[in-house]
């Protein structure tokens, strides 16, 4: 493997290219018309245009991407996350074209891709899963009888689902008919398949997932867990590793179950097995994500491993070279997903020009960023700008460090959710790790208590007036008035003395 | 020079010397109190301010001041306007416009000219960053203008609908 095409954009494209560069691999970027000036293009060794802005005409065009790969002489494609990363047909097309797809084989993707199939695979691997059906429900009557067996409340879910679409909680039999038809039609519209299944609703579950990686020589490791319970509308907002509630024994049991599932499905490369964990520490298989995840950096920080580099080596056919007992977890890491959206205005997306970008630094900070000052965030894609990750010896230290880093972080020109993170990180329940997947929605249901500001109002008024006046005068006289630097320096020094 | 500001629900008056943007110490007046400030504009729209030994790094972002990670929205007020900002607000009797709160693409327009609408009725759906947002009319009435069509790209603040 000499040259890798990255079939993605934003921070993840950069993340993959960085690993490639460290390993001496040439990088090929692809871009849509609205991304010509994007950071991932400027970072790459080679770059090729795909098409117009909409993803369906650019980043989702597997045929075009393969053409570019062949034209550029790339011998592998890394799909990142989203877009084509879990598309079995694309993985297969790569194989046919003689190009390495950096990810699992199409067969493993198919075996685990649909939620109902994944539940069957979980049964075969003898791992606990949420009680309910393992295949699509043909009729409302079938849904009613399954629900009666496992007991209400239950959850209707789209087999092809993701991101909370095609999902309905059903509290009693009387609600089933309506929930069944809305879930099914929403699934049909979102995923092109109306297949829904049913599972027992776990109350106040925590979302905890296990990172696995398998090589082509039959070895598979689990790299600890990540807790992603802080979610808004089923979208992860904060992730951390390790989980505050997972001890050594539970970690081993969950890890071994995840490895069993991966091996039984013939899985290769990095993947994530998601679980729900109830208040009694019972864990239930939820689904498997057959790709690199957004939140992989928290695992990297506590294991000291480079997951993307491992992915590349596995794709080259190398053995993992690490044994399970050599995987150590050390310290604590937290990730905040910085989005271009306005939490004070119903999380409305906020695309536009980034007029100012001040990024945090110092000990224990990692930022995987896909944007830069002066760039205009296009409205065609996901609003994630950057991932801010902090590392500390303890959870408490990682949290305080994150609060400090957020105070340093300024994104001007567009609105971001930075303020929301401060609210969560300072919240008592989050601090004491009393979180579940409904935590954030409950927090947001209360209006924010005024964040105690330590800055005197006089200073705020003064600063606002000075900067406003400065802006006014600089727009009146675009040519700066010649002030002798010596003279002003002398004046400052004189006053200081 | 005097500047009137609205900060939250308070109105403040700040009087600055004419050479305020020159680096150095300046005597400023905030609501009749004199404040000694050491001013240093370090970058465009970024100010390092030292008041009584405390240093504040301030950044101007549109209509807000960003300071120690927090946003403080403010408005510069016209001293001649006695009624302040709220004085010019549109009442419920006149025509009201629905503006795009963000740039995006129009996915659906659910009304046409002449339609009667209820207050807070959804009339236009705009998509940006993979999210669809339904926009609602601010008051009940009759649609007098539809300024956009499906698939149009709109800017933030652009008028979409007028209701009378």
């Amino acid at each position: 493997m000499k040259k890798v095409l990255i079939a993605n954009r934003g921070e993840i494209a950069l993340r993959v290219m960085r690993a490639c560069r460290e390993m001496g691999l040439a990088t090929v970027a692809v871009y849509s018309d609205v991304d010509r000036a994007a950071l991932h293009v400027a970072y790459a060794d080679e770059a090729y245009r795909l098409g117009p802005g909409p993803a369906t005409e650019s980043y989702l065009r597997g045929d075009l991407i393969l053409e570019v790969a062949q034209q550029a002489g790339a011998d592998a494609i890394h799909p990142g996350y989203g877009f084509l990363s879990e598309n079995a047909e694309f993985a297969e097309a790569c194989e046919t074209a003689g190009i390495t797809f950096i990810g699992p084989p199409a067969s493993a993707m198919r075996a685990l891709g649909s939620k109902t199939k994944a539940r069957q695979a979980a049964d075969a691997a003898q791992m606990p899963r949420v009680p309910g059906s393992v295949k699509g429900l043909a009729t409302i009557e079938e849904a009613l009888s399954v629900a009666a067996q496992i007991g209400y409340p239950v959850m209707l879910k789209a087999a092809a689902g993701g991101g909370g679409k095609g999902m309905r909680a059903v509290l009693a039999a009387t609600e089933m008919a309506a929930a069944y038809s809305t879930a099914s039609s929403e699934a049909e519209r979102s995923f092109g398949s109306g297949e829904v299944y049913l599972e027992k609703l776990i109350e106040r579950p925590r979302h905890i997932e296990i990172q696995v990686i398998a090589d082509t020589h039959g070895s598979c490791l689990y790299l600890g867990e990540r807790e992603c319970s802080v979610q808004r509308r089923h979208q992860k907002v904060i992730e951390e590793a390790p989980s505050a509630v997972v001890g050594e024994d539970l970690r081993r049991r969950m890890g071994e179950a995840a490895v069993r599932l991966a091996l039984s499905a013939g899985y290769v490369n990095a993947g994530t097995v998601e679980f729900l964990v109830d208040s009694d520490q019972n864990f239930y298989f939820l689904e498997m994500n057959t790709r690199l995840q957004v939140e992989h950096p928290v695992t990297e920080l506590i294991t000291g491993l480079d997951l993307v580099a491992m992915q590349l080596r596995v794709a080259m056919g190398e053995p993992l070279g690490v044994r399970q007992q050599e995987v150590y977890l050390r310290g604590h890491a937290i990730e905040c997903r910085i989005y271009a959206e306005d939490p004070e205005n119903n999380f409305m997306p906020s695309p536009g020009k980034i007029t100012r970008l001040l990024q945090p630094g110092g000990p224990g900070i990692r930022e995987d960023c896909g944007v830069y000052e002066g760039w205009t965030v296009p409205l065609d894609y996901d609003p994630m700008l950057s991932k801010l990750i902090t590392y500390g010896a303890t959870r408490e230290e990682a949290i305080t460090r994150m609060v400090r880093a957020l105070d340093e972080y300024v994104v001007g020109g567009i609105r971001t959710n930075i303020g929301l993170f401060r609210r969560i990180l300072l919240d008592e329940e989050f601090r004491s790790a009393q979180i579940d997947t409904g935590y954030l929605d409950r927090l947001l249901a209360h209006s924010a208590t005024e964040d105690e500001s330590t800055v005197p109002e006089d200073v705020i008024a003064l600063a606002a007036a000075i900067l406003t006046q400065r802006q006014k005068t600089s727009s009146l006289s675009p040519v700066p008035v010649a002030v002798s630097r010596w003279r002003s320096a002398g004046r400052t020094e004189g006053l200081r003395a | 020079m005097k500047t009137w500001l609205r900060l939250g629900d308070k109105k403040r008056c700040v009087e600055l010397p004419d050479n305020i943007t020159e680096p150095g110490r300046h005597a400023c007046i905030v609501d009749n109190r004199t404040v000694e400030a050491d001013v240093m504009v370090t970058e465009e729209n970024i100010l390092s301010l030292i008041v009584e030994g405390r240093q504040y790094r301030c950044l101007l972002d549109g209509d807000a001041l960003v300071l120690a990670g927090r946003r403080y929205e403010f408005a510069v007020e016209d001293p001649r306007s006695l009624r302040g900002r709220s004085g010019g607000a549109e009442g419920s009797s006149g025509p009201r416009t629905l503006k795009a709160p963000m740039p995006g693409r129009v996915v659906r327009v659910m009304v046409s000219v002449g339609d009667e609408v209820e207050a807070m009725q959804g009339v236009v759906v705009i998509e940006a960053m993979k999210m669809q947002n339904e926009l609602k009319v601010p008051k009940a009435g009759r649609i007098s203008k539809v300024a956009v069509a499906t698939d149009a790209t709109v800017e933030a603040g652009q008028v979409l609908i007028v209701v009378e």
Side-chain angles (χ1 to χ4, degrees):
Chain A
M1 196 188 288
K2 299 244 160 31
K3 195 188 271 189
V4 179
L5 182 146
I6 295 90
N8 216 301
R9 62 183 302 282
E11 67 84 22
I12 194 60
L14 258 96
R15 167 70 190 90
V16 174
M17 287 183 206
R18 283 182 163 136
C20 289
R21 192 154 289 176
E22 287 173 12
M23 293 173 70
L25 299 166
T27 55
V28 181
V30 287
Y31 60 91
S32 73
D33 288 340
V34 298
D35 266 348
R36 174 62 187 87
L39 198 56
H40 77 279
V41 178
Y43 194 88
D45 298 323
E46 294 176 37
Y48 299 90
R49 174 184 179 268
L50 288 175
T56 47
E57 294 172 58
S58 50
Y59 299 104
L60 286 170
R61 285 285 305 271
D63 54 334
L64 275 183
I65 290 169
L66 268 174
E67 229 171 80
V68 169
Q70 281 169 325
Q71 186 194 325
D75 32 30
I77 293 180
H78 195 301
Y81 51 69
F83 297 129
L84 294 167
S85 61
E86 292 177 277
N87 186 316
E89 284 78 53
F90 180 66
E92 224 157 45
C94 289
E95 211 172 301
T96 313
I99 290 172
T100 307
F101 177 82
I102 303 170
S107 57
M109 274 180 169
R110 288 211 174 90
L112 300 162
S114 123
K115 294 195 179 184
T116 43
K117 282 205 187 121
R119 285 166 69 78
Q120 292 162 24
D123 285 352
Q126 292 180 305
M127 63 197 294
R129 56 159 173 83
V130 183
S133 54
V134 291
K135 49 188 199 341
L137 300 160
T139 58
I140 295 175
E141 286 68 40
E142 194 185 341
L144 282 167
S145 86
V146 175
Q149 273 169 38
I150 59 173
Y152 291 90
V154 297
M155 199 77 159
L156 276 170
K157 286 184 171 183
K165 290 211 177 76
M167 224 158 112
R168 283 286 177 288
V170 187
L171 305 182
T174 49
E175 297 173 7
M176 184 62 83
Y180 181 88
S181 62
T182 50
S184 174
S185 70
E186 201 173 294
E188 179 70 49
R189 262 182 290 121
S190 306
F191 314 109
S193 154
E195 184 186 350
V196 292
Y197 69 100
L198 211 151
E199 58 182 41
K200 190 159 178 63
L201 187 101
I202 307 287
E203 303 206 35
R204 295 205 167 195
R206 301 174 86 109
H207 176 117
I208 297 175
E209 58 189 32
I210 299 282
Q211 174 72 54
V212 295
I213 188 158
D215 63 18
T216 49
H217 307 275
S219 142
C220 181
L221 299 173
Y222 61 90
L223 306 177
E225 78 283 2
R226 294 183 287 259
E227 170 147 17
C228 319
S229 294
V230 182
Q231 306 184 350
R232 195 181 75 86
R233 294 183 185 166
H234 307 286
Q235 301 268 10
K236 296 167 188 170
V237 174
I238 293 181
E239 300 102 343
E240 58 185 304
S243 161
V245 294
V246 175
E248 242 172 80
D249 176 58
L250 182 58
R251 177 173 304 126
R252 189 182 43 76
R253 285 190 288 127
M254 291 175 78
E256 286 173 358
V259 165
R260 259 196 327 269
L261 177 73
L263 289 177
S264 73
Y267 200 84
V268 174
N269 219 302
T272 296
V273 182
E274 299 190 330
F275 295 95
L276 292 180
V277 177
D278 70 15
S279 50
D280 298 322
Q281 298 229 316
N282 296 307
F283 63 92
Y284 305 96
F285 169 70
L286 194 59
E287 64 180 77
M288 180 158 186
N289 291 319
T290 57
R291 55 173 160 84
L292 184 68
Q293 300 225 171
V294 175
E295 60 272 25
H296 75 276
V298 292
T299 297
E300 295 188 318
L301 290 179
I302 65 157
T303 57
L305 296 167
D306 182 330
L307 278 170
V308 179
M310 289 173 94
Q311 280 196 299
L312 292 165
R313 282 193 219 104
V314 164
M316 291 175 191
E318 289 180 24
L320 284 170
V322 182
R323 281 174 304 170
Q324 188 63 55
Q325 56 269 38
E326 293 168 332
V327 176
Y328 296 107
L329 306 188
R330 194 179 165 174
H332 199 98
I334 293 190
E335 172 180 280
C336 290
R337 299 187 183 191
I338 313 289
Y339 280 105
E341 63 182 19
D342 186 358
E344 278 162 48
N345 185 16
N346 201 23
F347 293 87
M348 205 65 98
S350 179
K353 187 173 176 174
I354 298 175
T355 55
R356 184 62 80 179
L357 187 65
L358 302 179
Q359 292 159 291
I365 309 287
R366 165 171 169 180
E367 192 191 3
D368 282 18
C369 181
V371 301
Y372 59 90
E373 188 172 301
W375 190 54
T376 301
V377 182
L379 46 90
D380 305 74
Y381 315 106
D382 187 274
M384 195 170 78
L385 303 172
S386 173
K387 299 183 314 207
L388 185 59
I389 309 115
T390 58
Y391 176 80
T394 60
R395 184 172 190 263
E396 182 60 30
E397 190 175 277
I399 293 175
T400 359
R401 198 159 259 169
M402 182 63 84
V403 174
R404 186 267 291 173
L406 290 169
D407 281 353
E408 290 177 17
Y409 206 159
V410 178
V411 183
I414 58 173
R415 304 307 301 270
T416 70
N417 57 350
I418 290 175
L420 172 71
F421 290 121
R422 183 176 300 100
R423 190 176 163 193
I424 298 169
L425 295 169
L426 296 177
D427 178 60
E428 261 322 299
E429 280 181 52
F430 179 80
R431 286 268 176 166
S432 54
Q434 288 171 294
I435 45 175
D436 59 76
T437 55
Y439 159 78
L440 186 53
D441 290 331
R442 288 196 301 275
L443 182 77
L444 291 173
H446 304 282
S447 54
T449 44
E450 271 307 304
D451 189 7
E452 272 304 307
S453 165
T454 57
V455 181
E457 271 191 38
D458 280 4
V459 170
I460 298 166
L462 188 58
I466 294 170
L467 285 168
T468 304
Q469 180 148 331
R470 157 122 183 149
Q471 210 180 33
K472 235 186 285 171
T473 47
S474 65
S475 65
L476 283 176
S477 55
V479 184
V481 187
V483 176
S484 159
R485 292 232 166 195
W486 290 107
R487 214 173 75 189
S488 57
R491 195 181 299 151
T492 319
E493 289 307 311
L495 280 171
R496 217 174 267 159
Chain B
M1 184 185 154
K2 279 187 183 172
T3 309
W4 278 265
L5 300 167
R6 183 165 289 277
L7 252 172
D9 50 1
K10 289 197 195 98
K11 205 166 169 178
R12 315 295 300 257
C13 174
V14 181
E15 196 173 347
L16 303 171
D18 290 338
N19 63 343
I20 184 70
T21 52
E22 284 178 30
R25 215 177 273 190
H26 298 279
C28 309
I29 300 165
V30 182
D31 294 335
N32 304 323
R33 279 185 305 281
T34 301
V35 178
E36 277 276 316
D38 191 302
V39 174
M40 175 61 76
V41 177
T42 56
E43 284 175 72
E44 187 67 34
N45 289 336
I46 299 185
L47 166 74
S48 167
L49 194 64
I50 304 176
V51 177
E52 289 169 4
R54 269 188 74 181
Q55 191 279 143
Y56 305 91
R57 189 193 200 193
C58 318
L59 185 144
L60 184 68
D61 180 29
D63 51 5
L65 189 79
V66 181
L67 217 168
R70 286 162 180 77
R71 281 178 74 87
Y72 302 94
E73 299 205 349
F74 70 93
V76 179
E77 303 238 314
D78 184 348
R80 284 159 299 192
S81 153
L82 291 173
R83 287 190 297 176
R85 265 216 312 189
S86 58
E90 300 167 36
S92 60
S93 54
R96 292 282 296 267
T97 56
L98 172 69
K99 292 176 184 166
M102 59 186 179
R105 264 191 212 95
V106 177
V107 179
R108 262 196 307 283
V109 179
M110 288 112 94
V111 288
S112 25
V113 172
D115 286 359
E116 293 286 342
V117 290
E118 297 290 318
M120 299 314 285
Q121 181 179 328
V123 288
V124 177
V125 178
I126 288 191
E127 182 178 277
M129 306 181 125
K130 300 199 327 199
M131 242 182 83
Q132 295 197 354
N133 295 280
E134 191 180 87
L135 306 179
K136 300 172 170 71
V137 282
K139 68 160 197 169
R142 186 188 295 271
I143 302 291
S144 65
K145 188 179 179 188
V146 176
V148 286
T150 306
D151 281 338
T153 306
V154 294
E155 293 299 320
Q158 188 174 329
V159 173
L160 309 173
I161 298 278
V162 181
V163 55
E164 283 184 20

